[in-house]
Amino acid sequence: MNTAEKINQLRAELHEHNRRYYIEDAPVISDLVFDQKLAELKALEDANPSLFDGNSPTQRVGGGVTKNFNTLAHEYRMYSLDNSYNRQDLLDWEQRIHKNVGVDALDYTCELKYDGASISLTYENGALVRALTRGDGFQGDEVTQNIKTIKTVPLQISASDVPERFTIRGEIILPLSGFEQMNKQRVAQGEEPYMNPRNTASGSLKLQDSSLVAERPLDCFLYQVVTDRNVFKTQLASLEAAKRWGFYVPSHFTHAANMQEVFAFLDYWEQERSALPYEIDGVVVKVNQLAYQEQLGYTAKSPRWAMAYKFKAEAVETQLEDVVYQVGRTGAITPVAQLKPVLLGGTIVKRASLHNADFIAGLDLHMHDVVSVEKGGEIIPKITSVNHKKRLPNNPPINYISHCPECHTSLVRNPEEAQHYCPNVSGCLPQRVGRVAHYISRKAMDIDGLGAETIQLLIKNNRIESYADLYALTEHDLISLERLAEKSAHNIVQAIAASVTVPFHRVVFALGIRYVGQTVAKKLAQHFGTIDALMKASVAELETVDEIGIRIAQSVVAFFADGVNRMTIEQLRAAGVQLEQAISSQPISDVLADMRFVVSGVFSRYSRDELKATIEQHGGKVSSSISKNTTYLVAGDKMGPAKKIKAEGFGVKIISEIDFDALINA
Ligand code: AMP
Ligand code: ZN
């Protein structure tokens, strides 16, 4: 077998294992063997760039960055759905369609209405070629790169009855467990939790860096095949075919012979929906026979052959027992309502976030009030109103705290922010513990084995002041504090020592500067290159960096203006932590100054990232899309035709990597 055949075989095999794992939930090889095969394929592809394939299983990890998403027209318009809120609405609808098609018996499909972001996928010869968001229904944004990272989206399908070209529609959703996991991480990093899975899913589609999308536990549920030929007779048959082709079609759809059977489906899911691992906001009832669908057609906004039935948001009344205040890593205070336990949507609710002082004031909340609690799009239940009729005369209003519940320092609030803060950065225990916990977290320094409780003990017993002191920690320190086994203590000390090789951009993130998340940290590290340059940067200089506004700039300057933080940095330096970018990004020349490059395709002398880094090392700028300001398009193998047309349209010069080398060696 030659290399090309070997690569093709591995790709086909991995596509199939991917399907078995994610769609069928019935893997036939272990994760380890899967990873080995993937690594083997990756190595072969790296060594043979001319055999690049954008739909290879290796592309699932993402890495491509989209600065501006292209807006493209939908081949078939994506309509909305008409809504109904009660059974009579559905009966009225049935009357209308009976009249319209001239028969008085129709059968239906009932599907769950997944609450996420709509997506339209186009396949040609079995390969995914394009993914568009719904947009305004006429045109959407092209998010193909990001969609490829979602494991339940097949990149290549091989069933024999697949049309040569078709579009399939679905919903990108974030399962509840994944959403909770993401929020846990965000809270641990001192960031506001996301509001609900739906917005988080749709926000994910528009992330510029596809490798960040790859890390999110998104799913893609499909519900409609669209072709220009009549491939199927019924909606049911199309769903079954989509399933067979390897798409993820949740198995809850059903055939209903009449409206009574539709109602039975509604009854069932009205009760059971809270047991689903993802959110739905209703049921979609569709006329099953596609010939009738065609006859019924569309109104200006929606198909006449489908109707969404919306569930009511579940709500109950309960009593507010207390309000407690939590202190986060950055000192942000979050008020939390303690409620008399009550059953809502299948789970017992005891707490609800009250967000901030304004939210409490807006509700006009008093202690012991009877409140209405709702679980709609949000997982975390929400207090939506106060039942004023049930308020007892001596229920005192909630007075927002003025002092930190942990360290009793006077709280502060910036006029343009909703949150109160405890300003006692260096002395407030939860803030100190939170900073160390953030420093060691997986996406920061990735130091395993230290839990929040151990950190708290270490701080309380003065074994460490800040995260920089971790590097002086001995096994003895750990063993004497806790009933830690020698082996675990040894591993922790090893993990701390190993963290000195973590790259600079993750160190910048680990420092725990307010508003500096992973993406911003990367931008800062890339732009400034060393901690010393970053520490010296003024607000104005920081603001020149892509995506960095005044709020982040001021926060960075304030962080480094603090003497304690500067000492911490010196300790990290002494411990050998990476405080500059790996040498490759150091400037070499400025022969490309004032030039803007767009890089596209596959190269043989460089990886795409190397090429971009080389441009920057020589003073050039790299952008992701072609505009009239682009100086050169560096074109490799397999560059898309759209790029070429666009470059020609703007009169941008197209050069090869050989031309490029000549340019920098000039
Ligand atoms: P709406 O946004 O309320 O007009 O509802 C229409 C949207 O519901 C569509 O754009 C889809 O994204 C979404 N949807 C979720 N599940 C389904 C389903 N089973 N069938 C059709 N549309 C669905
Ligand atoms: Zn405090």
Side-chain angles (χ1 to χ4, degrees):
M1 203 185 306
N2 67 27
T3 314
E5 284 163 355
K6 180 75 196 156
I7 285 180
N8 280 337
Q9 187 202 337
L10 276 168
R11 282 177 185 159
E13 235 181 275
L14 287 165
H15 280 309
E16 176 58 13
H17 287 306
N18 192 77
R19 190 186 68 80
R20 283 175 183 273
Y21 187 94
Y22 288 103
I23 309 288
E24 310 259 302
D25 198 14
V28 290
I29 59 172
S30 69
D31 293 1
L32 182 69
V33 175
F34 184 91
D35 290 345
Q36 281 168 347
K37 283 184 189 286
L38 194 66
E40 185 186 353
L41 174 59
K42 173 105 188 20
L44 284 172
E45 287 180 346
D46 285 349
N48 299 279
S50 63
L51 300 173
F52 176 82
D53 169 9
N55 282 2
S56 166
T58 54
Q59 300 299 304
R60 296 268 191 208
V61 294
V65 173
T66 315
K67 264 276 159 64
N68 297 303
F69 294 94
N70 281 330
T71 304
L72 298 177
H74 286 294
E75 212 166 316
Y76 305 91
R77 180 170 160 199
M78 287 181 88
Y79 286 88
S80 282
L81 289 173
D82 271 344
N83 288 323
S84 57
Y85 299 91
N86 54 53
R87 317 250 154 143
Q88 190 56 48
D89 288 347
L90 285 175
L91 291 170
D92 293 348
W93 171 61
E94 182 172 54
Q95 284 267 309
R96 290 198 300 276
I97 55 179
H98 278 175
K99 225 190 250 159
N100 205 320
V101 294
V103 291
D104 55 7
L106 289 176
D107 62 326
Y108 305 96
T109 60
C110 299
E111 299 163 34
L112 299 182
K113 187 167 190 294
Y114 320 114
D115 203 9
S118 342
I119 195 77
S120 169
L121 309 174
T122 302
Y123 286 78
E124 283 173 11
N125 303 314
L128 171 67
V129 294
R130 191 159 45 256
L132 293 184
T133 64
R134 177 159 105 179
D136 63 2
F138 294 98
Q139 46 182 24
D141 290 329
E142 201 209 327
V143 291
T144 319
Q145 289 269 359
N146 286 347
I147 290 297
K148 280 184 188 172
T149 67
I150 299 175
K151 314 293 182 293
T152 39
V153 173
L155 301 181
Q156 185 73 52
I157 48 184
S158 51
S160 58
D161 60 335
V162 173
E164 201 175 294
R165 181 185 159 76
F166 69 96
T167 290
I168 185 161
R169 290 188 184 150
E171 198 84 357
I172 303 296
I173 65 117
L174 187 55
L176 295 170
S177 59
F179 176 72
E180 276 164 42
Q181 196 55 40
M182 281 175 69
N183 266 351
K184 250 191 221 149
Q185 247 176 41
R186 270 181 83 83
V187 171
Q189 293 172 2
E191 289 166 298
E192 279 271 306
Y194 293 114
M195 279 300 268
N196 61 51
R198 181 196 342 108
N199 292 356
T200 315
S202 66
S204 303
L205 298 188
K206 301 300 275 298
L207 287 175
Q208 294 186 345
D209 182 347
S210 60
S211 62
L212 295 180
V213 186
E215 288 172 15
R216 298 195 171 182
L218 299 164
D219 262 327
C220 179
F221 294 174
L222 283 313
Y223 56 74
Q224 197 190 351
V225 181
V226 197
T227 58
D228 52 6
R229 287 177 305 119
N230 293 332
V231 183
F232 308 106
K233 283 208 159 57
T234 62
Q235 165 70 0
L236 199 68
S238 74
L239 290 177
E240 273 156 3
K243 236 177 146 160
R244 203 171 53 239
W245 296 342
F247 289 97
Y248 191 68
V249 183
S251 55
H252 308 299
F253 63 87
T254 203
H255 177 246
N258 53 49
M259 216 25 110
Q260 289 319 307
E261 291 189 14
V262 170
F263 291 169
F265 188 84
L266 300 182
D267 285 340
Y268 181 80
W269 285 108
E270 209 133 39
Q271 287 303 313
E272 291 301 315
R273 67 161 156 151
S274 55
L276 285 167
Y278 47 84
E279 296 194 313
I280 59 172
D281 61 345
V283 164
V284 186
V285 187
K286 296 175 185 167
V287 169
N288 188 34
Q289 307 294 329
L290 298 190
Y292 289 138
Q293 285 195 5
E294 206 167 305
Q295 210 177 322
L296 285 160
Y298 298 84
T299 68
K301 273 181 49 205
S302 43
R304 289 198 187 84
W305 44 263
M307 185 60 91
Y309 177 87
K310 294 258 178 144
F311 292 135
K312 285 181 213 56
E314 294 170 86
V316 285
E317 283 200 339
T318 187
Q319 194 178 27
L320 175 71
E321 292 186 327
D322 199 4
V323 176
V324 298
Y325 297 85
Q326 294 174 341
V327 187
R329 151 173 86 84
T330 58
I333 308 288
T334 311
V336 178
Q338 308 285 307
L339 304 166
K340 194 165 166 194
V342 63
L343 193 66
L344 175 63
T347 50
I348 304 235
V349 173
K350 292 184 233 169
R351 295 145 52 86
S353 171
L354 291 167
H355 306 292
N356 53 52
D358 292 345
F359 186 83
I360 294 175
L363 283 173
D364 175 31
L365 188 63
H366 288 215
M367 196 56 87
H368 310 307
D369 269 351
V370 171
V371 294
S372 186
V373 185
E374 223 175 70
K375 224 171 167 185
E378 292 84 39
I379 311 246
I380 306 162
K382 193 164 81 176
I383 295 183
T384 49
S385 62
V386 169
N387 188 336
H388 289 276
K389 283 193 216 112
K390 291 191 185 164
R391 175 177 292 165
L392 299 175
N394 49 4
N395 284 0
I398 304 290
N399 277 326
Y400 206 79
I401 49 166
S402 56
H403 290 77
C404 176
E406 300 278 345
C407 73
H408 313 293
T409 306
S410 231
L411 299 181
V412 295
R413 179 179 173 181
N414 296 333
E416 69 277 11
E417 277 177 31
Q419 224 73 16
H420 281 73
Y421 282 92
C422 166
N424 181 14
V425 174
S426 55
C428 186
L429 187 65
Q431 297 189 50
R432 295 175 63 198
V433 174
R435 280 195 299 271
V436 179
H438 170 73
Y439 185 81
I440 65 172
S441 64
R442 196 168 64 77
K443 297 204 169 137
M445 303 303 275
D446 195 17
I447 299 171
D448 231 6
L450 265 177
E453 277 165 40
T454 314
I455 295 170
Q456 191 154 348
L457 273 177
L458 288 168
I459 290 178
K460 273 192 174 158
N461 289 282
N462 298 318
R463 292 299 203 302
I464 60 171
E465 273 283 321
S466 76
Y467 46 70
D469 299 321
L470 289 172
Y471 295 96
L473 214 56
T474 63
E475 286 178 33
H476 179 75
D477 287 326
L478 286 162
I479 297 168
S480 64
L481 262 193
E482 257 209 318
R483 302 136 299 163
L484 266 186
E486 232 165 88
K487 177 97 176 99
S488 330
H490 176 77
N491 288 345
I492 292 173
V493 172
Q494 290 273 303
I496 294 170
S499 73
V500 300
T501 60
V502 164
F504 178 50
H505 66 91
R506 275 170 52 192
V507 178
V508 174
F509 172 61
L511 295 177
I513 307 170
R514 186 182 295 168
Y515 310 130
V516 177
Q518 279 173 280
T519 316
V520 169
K522 229 180 219 169
K523 294 253 143 87
L524 291 174
Q526 254 159 22
H527 186 92
F528 291 99
T530 68
I531 197 81
D532 295 311
L534 180 59
M535 286 170 80
K536 277 195 227 115
S538 64
V539 169
E541 264 172 276
L542 284 156
E543 278 193 88
T544 64
V545 183
D546 227 16
E547 281 180 44
I548 300 216
I550 179 114
R551 191 179 68 132
I552 300 175
Q554 282 174 344
S555 166
V556 172
V557 168
F559 183 89
F560 291 115
D562 186 325
V564 176
N565 290 335
R566 283 207 304 273
M567 253 171 54
T568 305
I569 301 286
E570 289 322 309
Q571 270 180 282
L572 295 178
R573 198 192 304 271
V577 170
Q578 300 296 314
L579 296 178
E580 42 190 79
Q581 289 273 81
I583 327 101
S584 70
S585 60
Q586 299 293 323
I588 296 174
S589 84
D590 56 8
V591 293
L592 305 181
D594 302 325
M595 296 186 189
R596 283 182 177 275
F597 291 79
V598 172
V599 169
S600 181
V602 184
F603 301 93
S604 51
R605 298 185 178 189
Y606 302 90
S607 77
R608 205 145 28 174
D609 284 343
E610 279 166 2
L611 182 56
K612 288 180 185 170
T614 310
I615 292 170
E616 282 167 358
Q617 282 168 357
H618 290 276
K621 290 221 160 56
V622 182
S623 35
S624 61
S625 65
I626 299 164
S627 74
K628 62 177 188 334
N629 297 324
T630 310
T631 322
Y632 290 111
L633 167 63
V634 190
D637 265 358
K638 303 224 169 185
M639 181 180 76
K643 276 245 162 71
K644 181 155 185 271
I645 293 167
K646 204 162 171 194
E648 286 167 354
F650 283 117
V652 171
K653 212 166 159 196
I654 304 179
I655 60 173
S656 69
E657 61 186 316
I658 298 165
D659 301 335
F660 173 79
D661 279 349
L663 207 59
I664 56 173
N665 293 324

